[in-house]
Amino acid sequence: MTTEQFNQIKHLLPKAKNTGRPPLDNYRTLNAIFWIMRSGAPWRDLPPEYGNWNSIYHKFRKWCEQGIFINILRELNSSKSALIEMDSTYCKVHQHGFGARKVYGNQAIGISRGGKNTKIHALINDKMELLSFLLTGGEVFDSKVAVDLLKTVDLTDKTVLADRAYGASDIRDYICENAALSCIPDKVNSQIKHSFDKEVYKQRNIIERFFNKIKNNRHIAMRYDKLSICFLNFVVLAAIKMKLK
């Protein structure tokens, strides 16, 4: 991250408190977190020029719990768009991603044909801005969480674009009830056929390109985090990094 990029978001980061010891520099801390995200390396392998890895990790965890990164993303997403795209992608879970305490639940890790995975369900606009997303285990089918995901955004006068996996009647009904249009093809065996704009549907490549870009970060392409809150915030950070370019 350059200083010019940091200046765009530094006012959204918590100010250091005077605790008697020198505070961690926010600029260096963010660059350390981005290094971990890009490399996929363990926190203990953080180069010493970034500072103490344990201090930076605890600051990262604190910012995750406070929703700092999510607030930054909301501030950066300024463009208005009439198109919303919905899809999901799998992320293989590394062996180091297991082991969270059972009291915390499954941490969005499930078993599918590809083994143990986490699934990212996302909504973006045609500017490739991440509007909303959630994590599930890899065994959860796309249509099962589609309505819950759509409830997190205002659909009024929007067009929702998705592939045929989202062609269930309850999804179409929810979109229609919220004054939006659906651009979703029917499944091959569907008894009721719905029309959709084929020219608009050609833009579905945008969300595929979005997933490709965030997976350029090894910490997202393969999940190394035991806790879903950490992995979730790395996805948010990847979206922030795209916006700061």
Side-chain angles (χ1 to χ4, degrees):
M1 174 187 284
T2 64
T3 54
E4 290 78 11
Q5 292 172 330
F6 177 72
N7 288 336
Q8 298 177 46
I9 61 173
K10 67 178 182 179
H11 63 286
L12 300 172
L13 295 169
K15 294 182 179 180
K17 295 181 179 179
N18 186 9
T19 58
R21 63 175 64 183
L24 288 174
D25 177 69
N26 284 344
Y27 177 59
R28 189 168 63 167
T29 299
L30 272 180
N31 273 325
I33 296 170
F34 281 138
W35 187 90
I36 291 291
M37 179 178 71
R38 178 66 176 172
S39 67
W43 284 95
R44 292 176 184 271
D45 291 346
L46 186 71
E49 56 263 29
Y50 289 113
N52 181 273
W53 72 267
N54 193 44
S55 299
I56 293 173
Y57 170 73
H58 282 290
K59 192 165 190 176
F60 169 72
R61 280 291 308 276
K62 185 178 181 180
W63 285 356
C64 290
E65 293 165 1
Q66 292 174 342
I68 300 299
F69 302 123
I70 293 174
N71 289 336
I72 292 174
L73 182 62
R74 287 172 179 166
E75 289 291 326
L76 293 176
N77 287 347
S78 56
S79 62
K80 302 294 182 182
S81 174
L83 185 65
I84 294 177
E85 300 195 23
M86 177 168 53
D87 207 349
S88 67
T89 187
Y90 290 94
C91 297
K92 190 79 172 178
V93 181
H94 191 269
Q95 61 183 1
H96 296 162
F98 302 105
R101 295 180 182 178
K102 292 183 178 180
V103 293
Y104 295 141
N106 66 2
Q107 295 298 310
I109 297 175
I111 301 176
S112 64
R113 287 184 179 181
K116 294 185 178 181
N117 299 281
T118 290
K119 205 170 188 180
I120 304 172
H121 305 262
L123 294 177
I124 70 165
N125 61 19
D126 58 355
K127 305 299 182 184
M128 215 178 287
E129 295 177 339
L130 180 62
L131 305 177
S132 181
F133 77 103
L134 56 84
L135 304 178
T136 67
E139 81 285 0
V140 177
F141 193 63
D142 294 349
S143 62
K144 295 294 184 182
V145 296
V147 173
D148 291 335
L149 189 58
L150 290 170
K151 286 179 179 178
T152 62
V153 298
D154 181 14
L155 298 181
T156 306
D157 298 328
K158 302 288 196 305
T159 297
V160 178
L161 191 160
D163 62 24
R164 63 183 74 249
Y166 297 92
S169 58
D170 61 328
I171 299 174
R172 294 182 185 274
D173 291 343
Y174 180 81
I175 294 171
C176 182
E177 290 167 2
N178 285 269
L181 299 175
S182 60
C183 185
I184 305 173
D186 292 300
K187 293 183 179 180
V188 176
N189 61 349
S190 178
Q191 298 298 316
I192 302 175
K193 299 299 181 181
H194 301 84
S195 60
F196 69 99
D197 192 323
K198 294 184 179 180
E199 289 300 314
V200 174
Y201 190 71
K202 290 178 181 179
Q203 298 185 61
R204 203 179 74 83
N205 68 86
I206 297 174
I207 194 165
E208 300 294 349
R209 285 157 46 207
F210 170 80
F211 286 138
N212 182 59
K213 285 180 179 293
I214 66 171
K215 283 186 171 182
N216 283 335
N217 300 287
R218 295 186 65 195
H219 211 90
I220 297 173
M222 176 168 283
R223 175 176 168 175
Y224 298 93
D225 298 291
K226 289 182 173 64
L227 301 179
S228 59
I229 188 174
C230 294
F231 183 68
L232 180 150
N233 277 274
F234 273 118
V235 175
V236 174
L237 279 165
I240 291 173
K241 187 178 179 182
M242 289 170 57
K243 288 291 296 180
L244 291 176
K245 283 188 176 181

